[in-house]
């Protein structure tokens, strides 16, 4: 994520303790279904510049699929001269088989400092932002690093 001019000016007047998740969260999110197959996920990851997909069931967040989770589920021989049919079949797995279930979430009114502490404590790379049981954004460790650079500039 690259902070836009409005986000930078908002953050410039704040500290890490007073800046909020809603000030920097990414609202452009991509969601997938539990039963989507990994070949669909492959297409998504090939066409976007982010590494986390939110998994919904009946419009409720039930999981998170990172690019790392996706890669770990695939045969390492896919796309190589050593690829066999069984390797290609790994793309037939469904999202629910490889996603992280029940992801830790955060409120838009949470401080950036608290969000950073949660990411570090749980050793995770992103936090879906949820308000009234609805996903409204996502924040990643890269977003937080960008904020600290702006605040401490």
């Amino acid at each position: 994520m690259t902070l836009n001019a409005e986000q930078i000016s908002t953050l410039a007047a704040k500290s890490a303790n007073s800046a909020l998740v809603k000030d920097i969260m990414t609202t452009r999110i991509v969601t997938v279904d539990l039963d989507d197959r990994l070949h669909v996920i492959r297409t998504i990851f090939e066409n976007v510049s982010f590494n986390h997909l939110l998994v919904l069931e009946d419009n409720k967040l039930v999981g998170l699929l990172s690019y790392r989770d996706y890669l770990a589920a695939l045969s390492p021989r896919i796309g190589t001269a050593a690829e066999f049919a069984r390797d290609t079949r790994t793309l037939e797995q469904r999202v629910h088989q490889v996603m992280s279930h029940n992801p830790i979430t955060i409120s838009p009114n949470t401080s950036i400092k608290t969000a950073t502490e949660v990411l570090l404590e749980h050793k995770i790379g992103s936090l879906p932002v949820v308000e009234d049981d609805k996903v409204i954004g996502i924040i990643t460790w890269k977003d937080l690093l960008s904020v600290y650079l702006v605040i401490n500039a």
Side-chain angles (χ1 to χ4, degrees), residues 52-133:
H52 301 91
L53 301 174
L54 302 175
V55 184
L56 302 182
E57 180 179 43
D58 299 325
N59 290 320
K60 292 197 72 149
L61 181 69
V62 294
L64 186 128
L65 181 66
S66 71
Y67 186 64
R68 187 177 296 188
D69 295 334
Y70 158 76
L71 288 178
L74 298 181
S75 167
R77 291 184 293 274
I78 287 184
T80 69
E83 181 180 303
F84 289 101
R86 69 176 176 257
D87 300 316
T88 307
R89 282 195 296 273
T90 61
L91 286 168
E92 292 303 314
Q93 293 178 88
R94 297 187 186 272
V95 167
H96 69 85
Q97 294 173 291
V98 299
M99 71 181 195
S100 297
H101 296 264
N102 301 313
I104 297 166
T105 63
I106 201 156
S107 156
N109 293 313
T110 303
S111 73
I112 297 301
K113 181 179 186 287
T114 299
T116 303
E117 291 167 346
V118 171
L119 284 177
L120 290 171
E121 176 184 343
H122 295 283
K123 298 180 175 127
I124 55 177
S126 67
L127 289 165
V129 182
V130 176
E131 186 172 52
D132 298 325
D133 288 331

Side-chain angles (χ1 to χ4, degrees), residues 22-37:
K22 68 183 176 185
D23 296 330
I24 66 155
M25 70 182 185
T26 301
T27 56
R28 185 180 154 250
I29 55 174
V30 175
T31 63
V32 296
D33 293 325
L34 285 168
D35 288 326
D36 283 341
R37 296 197 184 270

